Amino acid sequence: MHIDLPIVWAAIIGLGVFLYVVLDGFDLGIGLLFPFFENKEERQVMLNTVAPVWDGNETFLVLGGAGLYGAFPIAYSVLLPANYLPLILMVVGLLFRGAAFELRSKARRTQHAWDLAFTGGSALAAFCQGVVLGSLLQGTRVVDGRFAGGPFDWLSSFSIFCGLGVLVTYATLGCGWLIYKTDGELQRRMRVLMRPLAILLLVMVSVVSVWTVLGLPAVAQRWFGSGLLGWFLPVPVLVAACVAGIFRSVRQRHEVRPFLLTLALCFLGYTGLIISIWPYIVPPSLSLWEASSSPESQKFALVGTLIVLPVILAYNVMQYRVFRGKVRHGDAGYH
């Protein structure tokens, strides 16, 4: 039986990127919510909800990057120089966020500075991820399999708006996570904050969707010229239903449902992205097959991935299972 290896690898990389977005998304989102909560005990509880799992979440970012390098080296060699600055800034943000995570609890006089580093690092990393997403959607100039653009081609009003959209997405994920993991006054305030965040997220998704279709002809052709519009129409309807469900679940004081519905919104947005760029890995010129490495290389890497990936998934499932339940101030084992 013939196996289309580029599609297999695209599925693996797509899975890795999606898991990173949803897992590290609520982690970064907690940093974005820090300015709304000045009480030290509340901030510590917010951090404690992700303290056991935050570093493992970034494993999927490594999986996506390594998979792109091994399976689609041409795409890797194009996308990196096309987005050097936002990618470097993203790594800087993640470094500040990680350092602040470890050091703020040990600091006394400088804890406020580390809180700023945590918020700033989270915001910078999230914003740059959105900018790279916008840059990917708007297209990359490629000549003879090489990046042919300038160092600031990624910078546009569309990519900036996508950066803001990712900030809102991660903040909403973080709010939903904290509704699930906390209780009392902190949970109540998160419920209040969830409503405007959900509305803002709906606005961001709507604007990006319309902007993408109107401003990018290749994407418009994919949505409206492929004869598959009937299959795509449920996506905006489901987005609106998820936002309505968030409002209802917050009003009815459900604890898990707001987070699950926000995850569903992320999934719908991700499927919209896949629909918009398929079958290109570097729109609008490099398809999956044109950017692929040799079949031998893909087979060799696939064997290792099929061994390691289940271990990574099992580890992540286990850590979330072990540290399930509510987090309260003073709980042992979270510092």
Side-chain angles (χ1 to χ4, degrees), residues 88-103:
I88 289 172
L89 291 175
M90 180 192 77
V91 173
V92 169
L94 291 174
L95 287 172
F96 269 94
R97 189 275 303 262
F101 214 116
E102 298 293 341
L103 296 175

Side-chain angles (χ1 to χ4, degrees), residues 115-150:
D115 284 348
L116 289 176
F118 181 66
T119 299
S122 300
L124 181 61
F127 179 74
C128 289
Q129 289 173 18
V131 168
V132 172
L133 170 63
S135 173
L136 178 69
L137 276 171
Q138 70 188 11
T140 305
R141 286 187 284 174
V142 180
V143 177
D144 296 328
R146 297 183 179 181
F147 174 58

